[in-house]
Each structure stands twice: as C-alpha cells, then as structure tokens.
Amino acid sequence: MPVFEAHIEDVEQRALTGTLPAQQDVIRLMTQAYQRYRTLDEGVVADYIPILGRADPARFGLSLVGVNGFVHELGDTAVGFSIQSISKAFVFALVREALGHEKLHEVVGVNNTGLPFNSVIAIELNDGSPMNSMNNAGAIATTALIPGADAQQRWDDLVGGLSAFAGHPLEVDQEVYRSEAETNHRNQALGRLLQSYGRLAVDPAEVVDLYTRQCVLTVTSTDPATMGATLADGGVNPVTGERVVSAETCRDTLAVLASCGMYERSGEWLFEIGLPGKSGVSGGIVAVSPGKGALGSFSPPLDPAGNSVRGQRACAHLSRALGLNLFASARFDSTEGALA
Ligand code: GLU
C-alpha cells in the first residue's frame, strides 16, 4: 500500500516556472559550456552492445529547446545515435498518459534501486518488483503495459508517440537493432524473470523485442532536447505546437526522472544539477527544466554508471549558468511584488 494514496487529483494544480535568460545570453553561455568540455577526455565508450563500441569518442553535440520554441545547437548536432534508455522516459509518459497516475506506481514502482540498470539482484531483492521504469527490467515491464490489440499496434503507437515528442518521424537503425537483438541475452533473462514473478501479462520475448526496437530509434541531440522541452511545456511540443501528453503526465514523468533517471548516480546528479534527467548508453542525455525548456547532449564516453561525461559536465555548467536548478532560490525581493 503506497504511503501517499495520491487521491489529490481533485486539487487544482499550479505551476511555478520562471523563464530562460535572454536568447543572446543563452547562446553565449551554451558556447562557453561547449568550448569548455569539447576536448575533455574522460570516460569509456560502451561496447557491451558490440556496435556501440564503434562510436567516435570525440563527438559532442549540445542542444537546447525552450518552451517558446527557441532552438540552439552547437557541435555535432547532426550526428545520429540510438536513443537507448532515453526512450524509457517517453515510453513511461505514453503509458502514464494511457493508464493514469496510479497504474505504473502499482505495477512497476517509482523508487530507485541504487543498483545498475540491468541488475537481476534488484528484482530478487524486491520480491520481483522492477522498482522503477528507468532500469531495464522496469522499462520492459512498462513497455508491456502499452495498450493495443497486437505487437504491431503497440509498436505503431509507441513509435508514433515518441515521434510526436520529437516532432518528426523517428526510425529504427537496423544495424544497431541487429547488434542489440543478437546480444541482449540479459534483457531476455530479465523478461523471463519478471514472467516468473507473474509481473508480465504479455509474452516476454515479444515485449523485449519491442523494448529493443524502442532503444534503437535514431535521434540527434536536438531530439531529446525537443522531447524534454515537451515535458517542460506541460505536454505540448513547443516546436510543432502539438499536444502530446497532459501536464499531469509530464509532472509524473519528471518526478520519476529526478529519482531514477541517471542510473545509480541519480542522487549525485540531482545534488549537482538539480534537474530531472535521463541518459542512455550511446551517450545521450536529456535534462528538463519544467516551464523553461530542455537540454539535449550527445557524447559517447561514459562514466562507470553509464552517463555521458561531457554531457553531465555541460548540463552542470548550464544548470547553474542558466538558472535551471529546481532547488535554487533567491531571497524574496519585496520591491518586486507583494505576496498578497
Ligand atoms: N538498450 C540498452 C539495454 O537494454 C539500453 C541501456 C541504457 O541505455 O541504459 O541495455
């Protein structure tokens, strides 16, 4: 039984937001962050999915999309990469939108495991619960909840939803798909383990395949920025103007990203950067500032948890410089307005 019964949906929700700095300041500060970390040589490119090991470690793309539709891009923003775990955030949002506030909480969970993203022990320690939708087991359980008559319809809805977040049709990279499908024995085992605990209502092989395909959609760094900016904009894609999900879904998705989005470094990330974020093993990061916009980055070398090193540094820099940290406040200035 959850501690918070969450029967507060009848309370009208207000959002406190603020705005990004002026565009010329955003451009100047992003250039500063990009230049500072472009040549940083730390981290290791993932190769447990064989084809990812071929990525060029020098690549670095940095993008920002504001809720007003402003887009700024620096560096390798035209280089495509597989979205990998960043997809988990947006599939969570689609399932949350379809099934409501409580369902994912009940079936998957919203707490961090403190263990690696592909951990088997985490499931065993928690009575078969995958604990949250941002690790592999939880993402497989979340993808399994996508409504639909058959696998094809579920896939069409999944890819259609993620494409609406990005603002253009996303496509599977067949080469990455083959490399991943041939070697994802651990994910198949996670699917079977969830099944053994009665936590999957659909065929594990089918759902792991769907999950694998969601991970190999090709994006550039501007795509996660646009997708994140949609979550920052109450569910409306600020570039296309299309409503993709509700504001309530954005709130729930960002809460899960804040606690679980950056693998077992989610606490450190929140401590340093103060934003909901999600990263993927191909080197992408999205960091979302509710009501303001989102950063997207791509740089393949990763820290031991699986987070892009350059991307994290750039996000830390920009969270401070652009005033994005959710936990930062300044003393109330009574000359600027009254509280009454
Ligand atoms: N498709 C990858 C896997 O299942 C995603 C991992 C990640 O980006 O964290 O291992």
Side-chain angles (χ1 to χ4, degrees):
M1 167 68 98
V3 179
F4 303 101
E5 289 197 21
H7 296 144
I8 50 170
E9 292 288 298
D10 56 336
V11 180
E12 195 185 328
Q13 181 168 313
R14 290 190 191 188
L16 192 59
T17 54
T19 56
L20 286 172
Q23 281 180 15
Q24 69 271 21
D25 292 326
V26 172
I27 292 169
R28 179 174 57 80
L29 295 163
M30 281 184 69
T31 305
Q32 208 178 66
Y34 176 76
Q35 300 289 9
R36 185 180 284 196
Y37 299 113
R38 191 164 51 97
T39 53
L40 178 74
D41 188 19
E42 281 176 30
V44 180
V45 175
D47 62 1
Y48 76 96
I49 298 168
I51 200 169
L52 295 185
R54 288 204 235 140
D56 178 355
R59 294 292 191 194
F60 184 28
L62 187 60
S63 308
L64 175 141
V65 176
V67 291
N68 59 359
F70 170 69
V71 179
H72 190 57
E73 304 176 301
L74 285 162
D76 295 318
T77 54
V79 176
F81 60 97
S82 50
I83 188 169
Q84 297 296 344
S85 272
I86 294 176
S87 66
K88 292 170 180 167
F90 299 95
V91 172
F92 175 96
L94 296 177
V95 174
R96 156 62 180 93
E97 183 73 7
L99 302 182
H101 178 72
E102 276 304 305
K103 187 73 177 171
L104 280 162
H105 186 187
E106 273 168 33
V107 176
V108 183
V110 295
N111 283 311
N112 201 318
T113 64
L115 290 164
F117 68 95
N118 55 3
S119 175
V120 171
I121 290 178
I123 302 177
E124 296 285 23
L125 289 176
N126 291 290
D127 199 24
S129 168
M131 297 297 284
N132 69 72
S133 300
M134 298 303 136
N135 61 53
N136 285 10
I140 291 166
T142 302
T143 296
L145 293 173
I146 293 175
D150 55 25
Q152 185 61 45
Q153 195 195 329
R154 286 195 281 275
W155 170 248
D156 290 346
D157 289 351
L158 185 160
V159 78
L162 264 52
S163 298
F165 272 112
H168 67 96
L170 296 177
E171 281 175 21
V172 163
D173 182 323
Q174 293 295 346
E175 218 188 340
V176 183
Y177 172 71
R178 273 194 298 279
S179 181
E180 194 157 341
E182 281 164 8
T183 55
N184 66 354
H185 312 301
R186 199 176 175 93
N187 288 340
Q188 292 179 38
L190 290 172
R192 289 277 176 211
L193 189 58
L194 291 172
Q195 182 191 33
S196 78
Y197 276 105
R199 301 238 176 203
L200 275 190
V202 294
D203 175 50
E206 181 191 308
V207 69
V208 170
D209 184 59
L210 210 59
Y211 163 78
T212 307
R213 283 193 274 154
Q214 82 184 46
C215 288
V216 299
L217 291 167
T218 302
V219 290
T220 66
S221 62
T222 304
D223 289 320
T226 310
M227 297 167 90
T230 303
L231 295 177
D233 193 27
V236 175
N237 181 320
V239 177
T240 64
E242 183 187 352
R243 173 164 292 284
V244 184
V245 290
S246 65
E248 290 72 24
T249 286
C250 296
R251 179 200 62 204
D252 290 354
T253 307
L254 294 176
V256 174
L257 296 190
S259 59
C260 311
M262 306 302 283
Y263 306 116
E264 63 272 33
R265 297 238 163 135
S266 298
E268 276 168 271
W269 161 274
L270 207 56
F271 186 63
E272 297 298 341
I273 294 165
L275 292 173
K278 184 75 202 89
S279 61
V281 289
S282 50
I285 292 184
V286 58
V288 183
S289 183
K292 294 181 182 170
L295 296 164
S297 66
F298 167 59
S299 172
L302 309 178
D303 72 11
N307 300 307
S308 164
V309 176
R310 286 192 199 104
Q312 287 181 91
R313 299 282 177 87
C315 287
H317 185 114
L318 289 169
S319 167
R320 285 185 179 229
L322 300 177
L324 306 180
N325 191 317
L326 291 178
F327 305 108
S329 59
R331 174 85 171 87
F332 173 66
D333 181 351
S334 57
T335 61
E336 281 188 3
L339 277 179

